[in-house]
């Protein structure tokens, strides 16, 4: 080892480093100052200088203690590790936690010597424990990654289901609104149709009233056969109505009549046209009579019965009346195809031809 005193030649030689400077001073061939003359730092043949050998032993001891001395200061790097179970459990038990401080300090150097000599020992056991710990760490990381992936997929499915429910609810609301709108439109159309029908009925009723009044004013006149000319005649008899057209006669056959043939005389006239008593007598029946509709039965003084059928209304339902007196109005009730007066004349319970009977009374039909 070099001396700290001056050399005989008067040349200063670097002082020997102290024990605390081993981590900062590492003399090599490049860092040693070249000295002129015969006094210079010699280099050992075949390896490091003596001071370098001592430094190498110190480095090995530092590695065994768990740290590495460096010639330059470097910033520390922070390493974050996931949470792990108890380290002794991952390393295969508490074997590494037991022992004395002297044993732990000497273990790295002994393990390094054993590995350099090719002898299996404590270093192999520690390497196997570290491999198990690494496998456990990898398994734990994979489990955490799988858990996070499952959570993401579950959230995605929940979001998709919620979006589907919201879309279905919105579609249902849209359909309900459309149905409500259609119902409102249909209701408005029905109300409009009802109003139009009411107006039409009102107009028809007004027209019928006007026609009836016109028919009453035209009583006593006419323009030809079958037109109601001459509603009265001598002897106190009157035609049953006015402004009419004969459509069916007594004895006509067809499927429209239940007996196979017509039993009366039909006077077609607008609904509401007044119906007159053909002669003086009394009303013995008035009301609904099935296929005849509303019917009035007038019994004359000689016992003859005159039936007024399919009436729309009845003005007299009982009591006596005189010839030409209004007892009802033309209608279309019962079994009919249109508004008309069905007149029947019965003697002794049997029907006779109304046209012939009226003509026998001096009436021009």
């Amino acid at each position: 080892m070099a001396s700290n005193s001056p050399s005989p030649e008067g040349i200063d030689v670097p002082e020997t480093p102290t024990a605390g400077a081993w981590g900062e001073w590492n003399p090599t061939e490049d860092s040693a100052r070249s000295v002129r003359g015969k006094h210079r730092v010699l280099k050992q043949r075949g390896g490091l200088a003596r001071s370098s050998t001592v430094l190498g032993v110190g480095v090995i001891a530092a590695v065994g203690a768990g740290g590495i001395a460096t010639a330059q200061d470097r910033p520390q790097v922070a390493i974050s590790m996931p949470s792990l179970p108890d380290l002794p459990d991952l390393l295969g038990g508490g074997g590494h936690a037991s022992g004395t401080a002297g044993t732990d300090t000497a273990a790295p150097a002994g393990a390094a010597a054993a590995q350099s000599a090719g002898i299996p020992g404590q270093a192999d056991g520690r390497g196997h424990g570290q491999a198990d710990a690494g496998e456990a760490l990898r398994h734990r990381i994979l489990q955490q990654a799988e858990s996070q992936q499952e959570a993401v997929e579950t959230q995605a499915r929940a979001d998709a289901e919620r979006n589907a429910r919201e879309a279905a609810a919105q579609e249902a609301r849209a359909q309900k609104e459309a149905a409500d709108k259609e119902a409102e439109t249909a209701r408005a159309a029905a109300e409009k149709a009802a109003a139009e029908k009411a107006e039409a009925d009102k107009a028809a009723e007004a027209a019928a009233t006007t026609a009836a009044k016109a028919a009453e004013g035209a009583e006593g006149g006419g323009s030809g056969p079958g037109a109601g000319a001459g509603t009265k005649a001598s002897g106190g008899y009157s035609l049953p109505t006015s402004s009419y057209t004969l459509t069916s006669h007594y004895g006509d056959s067809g499927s429209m009549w239940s007996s196979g043939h017509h039993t009366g005389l039909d006077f077609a006239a607008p609904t509401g046209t007044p119906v007159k008593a053909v002669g003086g007598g009394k009303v013995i029946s008035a009301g609904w009579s099935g296929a005849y509709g509303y019917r009035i039965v007038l019994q004359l003084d000689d016992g003859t019965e005159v039936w007024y059928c399919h009436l729309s209304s009845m003005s007299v339902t009982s009591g006596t009346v005189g010839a030409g007196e209004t007892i009802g109005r033309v209608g279309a009730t019962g079994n009919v195809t249109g508004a008309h007066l069905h007149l029947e004349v019965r003697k002794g319970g049997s029907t006779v031809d109304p046209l012939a009977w009226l003509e026998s009374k001096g009436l021009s039909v």
Side-chain angles (χ1 to χ4, degrees), residues 56-144:
V57 174
V59 169
I60 293 174
V63 171
I68 300 176
T70 60
Q72 298 178 355
D73 293 336
R74 298 178 181 271
Q76 295 183 352
V77 178
I79 300 176
S80 61
M81 296 291 289
S83 61
L84 291 174
D86 192 8
L87 183 60
D89 295 338
L90 292 177
L91 297 178
H96 291 81
S98 63
T100 62
T103 303
D104 292 340
T105 304
Q115 289 180 355
S116 64
I119 301 174
Q122 185 178 0
D124 294 339
R126 179 171 295 182
H128 181 69
Q130 291 177 353
D132 292 342
E135 180 63 23
L137 175 60
R138 187 182 69 85
H139 182 67
R140 182 63 177 271
I141 292 174
L142 291 177
Q143 283 185 338
Q144 291 181 355

Side-chain angles (χ1 to χ4, degrees), residues 249-292:
H249 293 74
Y250 180 80
D252 290 346
S253 60
S255 60
M256 294 185 297
W257 301 287
S258 59
S259 61
H261 65 277
H262 197 218
T263 57
L265 184 63
D266 288 348
F267 297 79
T271 298
T273 303
V275 174
K276 312 290 185 178
V278 294
K282 64 179 180 178
V283 176
I284 61 175
S285 177
W288 183 261
S289 184
Y292 287 107

Side-chain angles (χ1 to χ4, degrees), residues 102-356:
T103 303
D104 292 340
T105 304
Q115 289 180 355
S116 64
I119 301 174
Q122 185 178 0
D124 294 339
R126 179 171 295 182
H128 181 69
Q130 291 177 353
D132 292 342
E135 180 63 23
L137 175 60
R138 187 182 69 85
H139 182 67
R140 182 63 177 271
I141 292 174
L142 291 177
Q143 283 185 338
Q144 291 181 355
E146 291 177 358
S147 299
Q148 293 177 357
Q149 182 65 24
E150 290 178 358
V152 170
E153 293 176 355
T154 301
Q155 183 64 31
R157 286 194 298 269
D159 293 342
E161 292 176 357
R162 183 178 65 254
N163 293 336
R165 288 194 299 270
E166 292 177 355
Q170 185 176 2
E171 181 65 20
R173 286 194 297 270
Q175 292 180 356
K176 184 178 182 300
E177 290 176 358
D180 293 342
K181 185 176 181 180
E182 291 179 358
E184 182 65 23
T185 302
R187 184 163 51 250
E191 292 176 356
K192 182 179 179 181
E196 291 177 351
K197 184 178 182 301
E199 291 293 333
D201 293 343
K202 185 176 181 180
E205 184 178 356
T209 302
T210 302
K213 290 180 178 180
E216 289 181 355
E219 238 179 47
S223 58
T231 58
K232 287 187 177 181
S234 59
Y237 289 92
S238 172
L239 288 176
T241 189
S242 59
S243 301
Y244 60 85
T245 299
L246 297 178
T247 55
S248 296
H249 293 74
Y250 180 80
D252 290 346
S253 60
S255 60
M256 294 185 297
W257 301 287
S258 59
S259 61
H261 65 277
H262 197 218
T263 57
L265 184 63
D266 288 348
F267 297 79
T271 298
T273 303
V275 174
K276 312 290 185 178
V278 294
K282 64 179 180 178
V283 176
I284 61 175
S285 177
W288 183 261
S289 184
Y292 287 107
Y294 288 109
R295 182 191 67 174
I296 294 176
V297 177
L298 174 64
Q299 187 180 51
L300 302 180
D301 294 339
D302 62 357
T304 302
E305 291 183 1
V306 181
W307 290 12
Y308 301 84
C309 306
H310 309 307
L311 302 176
S312 62
S313 63
M314 298 176 293
S315 302
V316 180
T317 57
S318 63
T320 60
V321 295
E325 184 177 344
T326 299
I327 59 176
R329 294 188 180 277
V330 174
T333 59
N335 186 17
V336 297
T337 58
H340 69 280
L341 169 65
H342 174 82
L343 185 71
E344 286 190 11
V345 179
R346 293 175 176 260
K347 287 186 175 183
S350 299
T351 60
V352 297
D353 185 1
L355 180 58

Side-chain angles (χ1 to χ4, degrees), residues 26-34 43:
N26 185 12
T28 62
E29 182 180 1
D30 296 333
S31 63
R33 183 177 60 177
S34 175
K43 178 175 65 175

Side-chain angles (χ1 to χ4, degrees), residues 2 14-18 21-33 41-44 47-56 71:
E15 295 180 355
T16 301
T18 62
W22 291 114
E24 300 177 356
W25 180 68
N26 185 12
T28 62
E29 182 180 1
D30 296 333
S31 63
R33 183 177 60 177
V41 178
L42 299 179
K43 178 175 65 175
Q44 279 190 350
L48 297 170
R50 180 180 300 176
S51 60
S52 299
T53 302
V54 175
L55 179 60

